[in-house]
Amino acid sequence: MTRPTIISETSATGVCIRLAGDLRTQSLDRVEAGFAAQKPNGQDVIVDMSQVESLDTGGAWLVANLVQRMGSEGAQVQLEGLAPAHSSLIETVSHNISEVTGEELPPHGFVNWVARIGQKTFGAWQDTLSIIGFLGLTLHRLVRTLIMPWRLRRAALVSQMEQVGFKALPIVSLMGFLIGVVLAFQGATQLKQFGAEIFVVELISISILRELGILLTAIIVAGRSGSAFTASIGSMKVQEEIDAMRTLGLDPIEVLVIPRVLALLIMLPILGFVADMAGLIGGALMSWIDLGVSPGMFLTRLKENTGVAQLAVGMIKAPFFALVIGVIACWQAMQVKGSSESVGQRTTASVVQSIFMVIAIDALFSIFFSELGI
């Protein structure tokens, strides 16, 4: 293998770069610094490759990158003495060089670290104000739609209810059933030590009806429907369809956001109720198999010791969860800028923020009901 070389000759009109030898991947480390050091020094750059004996993809990338870099600096680059096979390889590699440049790493140091924290804190404060404003706008449009129901887009509402609710029934039912099974199995394992197996009924019913049924349903809906809201509206933002709506005199909040939020407000309590019932069925089945608590006994203790108030405590949270999931998902979609990468980032942020807020609201409700003695 002939050692690769690069020689640069500067003239009054520009630069002539002469390449020679085998430009192959295993020997490119000898000429990489030479390629990186090349500067246009004028308008004309000639790359003479008549002495190049062989060329592979690595060498072609090095040449194509040199041509692209000098072209971006304003030079007119011309390749000379190319063999036909080398020419086609360089052309193929040139068409596949990514135009996306990597992000520059932030500067290090304590002062820069403090500056980044300040910027992120200020950005978080601005986002908080923005989402509160979006919540107010959504509530305003929601109240106006309730006062003037003819403004509601019924077809969009029904379509969203199908997507949010009916298509989620299988996964929500299965999740509820499995939670009931797990609670019964784990509860039975502990209660058997004290001879109190029969109290597994209260453990299952109160846990599912008060907390787990609606909480886990909301988390599933946030991951499934919230991400879908952000992705669909965000894609419309990238394709400038939302700007087109405004140009046509349509309100994006009324057309896109209200049907989705209303669908969540209607369907989340229904899904939560289905999860509760599936959880009780799973718990009853596991109690019967593992502890010998018959379905009749399970129902009797359920009626005697678990009031409707436990179900109401869980269901009261559903509209709040639905509003938070819908508003966060649609707000994140409206923040999409430029590219599909932004859509992906906003979709991820939507799911994370929605789940965090659902858990935070559930904690606040727990404290609230505890203070009320419910």
Side-chain angles (χ1 to χ4, degrees):
M1 179 180 294
T2 308
R3 180 189 180 97
T5 58
I6 176 170
I7 300 172
S8 176
E9 299 174 356
T10 304
S11 64
T13 56
V15 182
C16 178
I17 302 170
R18 301 186 188 281
L19 304 178
D22 292 314
L23 288 177
R24 292 187 168 276
T25 304
Q26 55 266 40
S27 59
L28 292 179
D29 57 326
R30 300 172 178 172
V31 291
E32 281 181 338
F35 273 86
Q38 298 302 318
K39 302 292 181 186
N41 291 328
Q43 289 297 316
D44 298 327
V45 176
I46 297 174
V47 181
D48 183 3
M49 298 185 63
S50 58
Q51 302 300 316
V52 173
E53 298 176 7
S54 63
L55 183 77
D56 67 357
T57 308
W61 181 87
L62 210 56
V63 175
N65 181 261
L66 175 69
V67 172
Q68 187 185 60
R69 180 166 58 82
M70 290 199 165
S72 65
E73 294 177 6
Q76 293 183 353
V77 187
Q78 185 178 355
L79 297 178
E80 291 186 350
L82 271 172
H86 296 173
S87 176
S88 60
L89 181 57
I90 291 174
E91 185 178 357
T92 302
V93 171
S94 299
H95 290 157
N96 289 281
I97 290 180
S98 175
E99 296 180 357
V100 179
T101 58
E103 292 185 4
E104 187 178 352
L105 291 174
H108 298 288
F110 179 74
V111 175
N112 292 318
W113 177 69
V114 172
R116 285 197 298 276
I117 290 179
Q119 289 171 353
K120 289 182 179 178
T121 304
F122 182 67
W125 173 245
Q126 285 186 314
D127 286 348
T128 303
L129 293 179
S130 175
I131 200 169
I132 290 173
F134 190 82
L135 173 64
L137 193 61
T138 303
L139 290 176
H140 172 265
R141 298 293 193 275
L142 194 59
V143 170
R144 190 174 71 177
T145 302
L146 294 176
I147 294 172
M148 297 181 285
W150 58 88
R151 299 180 68 95
L152 177 64
R153 294 177 178 269
R154 294 176 178 80
L157 175 62
V158 173
S159 174
Q160 292 300 327
M161 287 172 63
E162 181 186 7
Q163 295 293 330
V164 169
F166 294 111
K167 291 188 176 179
L169 278 175
I171 184 66
V172 168
S173 303
L174 180 61
M175 178 273 302
F177 181 82
L178 293 177
I179 288 298
V181 170
V182 171
L183 272 179
F185 184 75
Q186 295 296 328
T189 303
Q190 300 300 321
L191 292 172
K192 273 181 182 176
Q193 302 176 22
F194 308 100
E197 298 95 324
I198 195 63
F199 292 107
V200 74
V201 179
E202 286 80 359
L203 172 68
I204 294 169
S205 58
I206 293 175
S207 299
I208 290 179
L209 296 181
R210 264 186 95 97
E211 295 291 341
L212 293 179
I214 189 64
L215 177 63
L216 295 178
T217 301
I219 290 174
I220 286 179
V221 169
R224 183 180 177 277
S225 302
S227 60
F229 289 175
T230 307
S232 60
I233 299 177
S235 299
M236 295 176 69
K237 186 89 183 295
V238 170
Q239 296 170 3
E240 300 181 352
E241 293 179 35
I242 293 178
D243 293 335
M245 277 186 189
R246 291 195 176 99
T247 305
L248 293 172
L250 298 173
D251 182 4
I253 303 295
E254 194 171 287
V255 175
L256 299 175
V257 178
I258 295 303
R260 287 171 169 80
V261 172
L262 263 181
L264 279 176
L265 287 169
I266 295 170
M267 296 309 299
L268 189 57
I270 297 174
L271 289 174
F273 182 78
V274 170
D276 288 346
M277 295 303 106
L280 292 179
I281 293 172
L285 183 63
M286 196 64 196
S287 301
W288 191 17
I289 294 173
D290 195 36
L291 297 173
V293 178
S294 67
M297 176 66 73
F298 191 94
L299 280 175
T300 301
R301 291 194 65 86
L302 185 66
K303 290 178 182 175
E304 289 177 351
N305 302 317
T306 308
V308 181
Q310 305 296 340
L311 177 64
V313 166
M315 289 295 106
I316 285 172
K317 305 172 190 174
F320 295 92
F321 291 164
L323 186 63
V324 164
I325 294 169
V327 168
I328 289 178
C330 295
W331 177 79
Q332 286 286 357
M334 293 296 181
Q335 308 308 308
V336 168
K337 293 178 181 175
S339 64
S340 56
E341 184 182 1
S342 176
V343 176
Q345 291 172 344
R346 289 293 176 178
T347 301
T348 304
S350 165
V351 174
V352 173
Q353 288 182 4
S354 297
I355 292 176
F356 173 79
M357 287 304 300
V358 163
I359 295 174
I361 291 174
D362 187 66
L364 290 176
F365 268 111
S366 295
I367 297 171
F368 176 71
F369 288 128
S370 176
E371 291 296 322
L372 291 180
I374 298 176

